[in-house]
């Protein structure tokens, strides 16, 4: 009985998250209430609060759905050597883009285009800023390793390169999510990532000032 109750609770939680994706994607994050989510999920408002403290907590759970699954990234890393940080960076970006054209698309569209990044958004704003900082830190770390391994120039301006690489890929994803029909991301994602990698390798504008 206890096992069944736990399973039912997990099913309810997932139903609430599925409803939140639909509600936020259609109406944005700031306007709808948790009552709107509860109504679509077919549960009471109290049931929603039984799983999530507030809208920010619910939004955080949605963001967790698009965090890179460890096993997916590890499977990709099996194809590269540990001393290949650029290969690791390439695999990570491709995992993000591959999932963006699949199951993650509605949630990523919410994150990129349905959130108001203002002080009043409280925990939601903080969650988005934390995700941005985490991605920037990961890219900076991989670029630092790539320089140490001799894959990139020792004169690479790593902070600038990290900002440009992150901005380029985020911009690509944001533009595609805004108008998916305008560009076949699935067909061209590898070339897009390789353009960024090659820019990191060869663009003199990314070198430290003399």
């Amino acid at each position: 009985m206890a096992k069944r109750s736990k399973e039912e609770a997990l099913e309810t939680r997932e139903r609430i998250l599925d409803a939140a994706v639909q509600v936020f994607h259609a109406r944005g994050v700031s306007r709808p209430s948790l009552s709107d989510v509860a109504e679509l999920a077919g549960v009471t408002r109290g049931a929603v609060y039984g799983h999530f403290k507030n809208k920010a907590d619910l939004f955080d759970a949605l963001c967790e759905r698009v965090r890179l699954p460890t096993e997916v990234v590890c499977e990709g890393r099996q194809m590269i050597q540990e001393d290949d940080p650029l290969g690791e960076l390439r695999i990570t970006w491709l995992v993000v883009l591959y999932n963006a054209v699949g199951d993650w698309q509605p949630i990523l569209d919410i994150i990129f285009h349905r959130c108001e990044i203002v002080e009043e958004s409280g925990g939601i704003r903080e969650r988005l800023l934390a995700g941005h900082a985490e991605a920037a830190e990961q890219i900076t770390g991989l670029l630092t390793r790539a320089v140490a391994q001799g894959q990139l120039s020792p004169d690479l301006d790593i902070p600038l390169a990290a900002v440009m690489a992150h901005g380029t890929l985020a911009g690509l994803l944001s533009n595609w999510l805004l108008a998916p029909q305008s560009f076949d991301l699935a067909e061209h994602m590898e070339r897009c990532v390789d353009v960024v990698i090659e820019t990191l390798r060869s663009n003199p504008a990314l070198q430290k000032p003399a």
Side-chain angles (χ1 to χ4, degrees):
M1 183 65 70
K3 180 180 179 181
R4 180 56 186 165
S5 296
K6 184 176 181 180
E7 290 175 352
E8 290 175 347
L10 289 174
E11 290 173 1
T12 299
R13 186 179 189 276
E14 290 304 305
R15 193 160 70 249
I16 293 169
L17 287 170
D18 290 340
V21 171
Q22 294 184 55
V23 171
F24 293 162
H25 192 262
R27 300 176 55 193
V29 176
S30 62
R31 288 168 50 200
S33 67
L34 292 185
S35 295
D36 296 319
V37 174
E39 182 178 355
L40 185 59
V43 301
T44 65
R45 189 166 181 267
V48 176
Y49 278 105
H51 290 276
F52 306 101
K53 294 181 293 185
N54 48 41
K55 190 188 291 186
D57 191 33
L58 176 58
F59 180 80
D60 185 68
L62 288 182
C63 290
E64 290 298 314
R65 280 188 167 189
V66 298
R67 289 179 63 84
L68 292 181
T70 303
E71 62 273 15
V72 174
V73 177
C74 286
E75 287 173 5
R77 287 172 179 169
Q78 289 176 1
M79 298 184 293
I80 59 179
Q81 300 295 319
E82 290 185 2
D83 60 352
D84 184 11
L86 278 187
E88 187 174 334
L89 185 63
R90 184 177 187 274
I91 288 292
T92 300
W93 279 340
L94 287 175
V95 168
V96 173
L97 296 179
Y98 176 82
N99 283 283
V101 299
D103 295 339
W104 293 1
Q105 184 176 345
I107 301 176
L108 287 172
D109 196 29
I110 291 169
I111 292 171
F112 275 91
H113 299 300
R114 303 295 198 271
C115 292
E116 294 180 348
I117 313 303
V118 294
E119 291 293 341
E120 290 77 7
S121 61
I124 293 174
R125 178 176 183 272
E126 293 304 315
R127 180 63 177 81
L128 291 172
L129 291 175
H132 181 277
E134 182 181 349
E137 182 180 0
Q138 181 188 40
I139 292 172
T140 300
L142 287 170
L143 293 183
T144 301
R145 285 173 50 202
V147 169
Q149 294 287 349
Q151 292 183 315
L152 295 174
S153 167
D155 294 324
L156 182 71
D157 188 334
I158 294 176
L160 176 61
V163 167
M164 294 305 300
H166 189 191
T168 301
L169 269 298
L172 169 67
L173 188 52
S174 177
N175 288 343
W176 178 79
L177 288 166
L178 192 62
Q181 71 283 354
S182 67
F183 178 68
D184 192 340
L185 182 58
E187 179 180 352
H188 297 291
M189 66 175 68
E190 289 198 42
R191 291 178 65 193
C192 290
V193 170
D194 288 341
V195 165
V196 179
I197 296 292
E198 186 57 34
T199 299
L200 292 171
R201 286 197 181 106
S202 60
N203 194 323
L206 292 178
Q207 304 300 302
K208 296 174 184 176

